[in-house]
């Protein structure tokens, strides 16, 4: 009986159900929070969205194979994107969780693509041309080369 009451309380409060899915009142509340963030940059609404979704996005990134530090960084980037692009959210097209996790998936794909590209070290000597030789050193090198060629020709 206690477990049933707990489930009822969860559903009434609008928090996640034990299976991890969000209830219908929760979906509407989160959609309203997104609308508040989009319309007036409501920090309290965003804080509530952040508190609910940031840990879930990080766990999702970990399940996709990101390391702990990368998962944390990507979760932060996703939530920044939610803050900046909340106006693009359309409650008639998807739920807030669907929209946020789509952003998260795209961020993870971008991170994987960045990891495949080799970053070049611009300080590597191979990327810098040889410095120009001083004129007197160039003359000495040319004379040395001529004498070596002459010595090789005699052999």
């Amino acid at each position: 009986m206690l477990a049933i009451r707990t489930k009822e309380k969860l559903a009434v409060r609008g928090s996640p159900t034990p299976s991890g899915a969000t209830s219908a009142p929760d979906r509407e509340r989160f959609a309203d929070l997104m609308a508040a963030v989009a319309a007036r940059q409501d920090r309290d609404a965003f804080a509530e969205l952040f508190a609910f979704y940031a840990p879930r996005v990080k766990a999702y990134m970990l399940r996709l194979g990101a390391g702990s530090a990368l998962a944390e960084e990507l979760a932060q980037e996703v939530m920044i994107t939610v803050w900046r692009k909340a106006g693009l959210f359309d409650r008639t097209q998807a739920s807030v969780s669907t929209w946020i996790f789509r952003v998260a998936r795209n961020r993870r794909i971008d991170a994987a693509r960045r990891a495949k590209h080799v970053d070049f070290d611009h300080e590597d000597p191979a990327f810098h041309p040889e410095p120009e030789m001083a004129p007197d050193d160039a003359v000495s090198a040319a004379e040395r080369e001529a004498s070596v060629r002459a010595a090789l020709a005699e052999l």
Side-chain angles (χ1 to χ4, degrees):
M1 189 71 154
L2 180 61
I4 294 171
R5 286 185 187 156
T6 305
K7 287 181 183 179
E8 290 171 358
K9 283 182 182 178
L10 287 172
V12 169
R13 273 195 325 212
S15 48
T17 60
S19 66
T22 56
S23 64
D26 230 15
R27 288 185 205 141
E28 287 303 313
R29 186 170 58 87
F30 286 138
D32 292 341
L33 291 172
M34 282 293 287
V37 171
R40 58 185 185 278
Q41 298 285 301
D42 187 339
R43 290 177 186 257
D44 293 332
F46 180 71
E48 193 170 338
L49 285 170
F50 188 94
F52 185 81
Y53 283 107
R56 286 161 177 79
V57 170
K58 181 179 178 184
Y60 175 65
M61 294 298 175
L62 290 170
R63 281 193 308 271
L64 290 178
S68 182
L70 179 60
E72 179 70 30
E73 182 180 334
L74 290 173
Q76 294 290 326
E77 287 180 18
V78 167
M79 296 312 294
I80 289 170
T81 302
V82 168
W83 173 257
R84 290 182 180 157
K85 300 192 182 234
L88 298 176
F89 171 71
D90 182 3
R91 71 173 65 206
T92 62
Q93 298 292 317
S95 68
V96 173
S97 62
T98 301
W99 188 76
I100 289 175
F101 282 98
R102 184 179 305 139
V103 170
R105 191 200 88 214
N106 292 342
R107 289 290 172 162
R108 178 65 180 120
I109 290 169
D110 292 344
R113 286 180 182 153
R114 279 193 307 259
K116 287 183 181 179
H117 293 329
V118 178
D119 288 332
F120 295 109
D121 179 15
H122 296 290
E123 298 301 318
D124 188 349
F127 293 118
H128 298 287
E130 290 287 325
E132 296 252 349
M133 208 182 281
D136 56 337
D137 290 338
V139 169
S140 298
E143 290 174 352
R144 187 175 37 251
E145 182 180 346
S147 64
V148 168
R149 286 185 189 272
L152 285 174
E154 285 181 24
L155 293 176

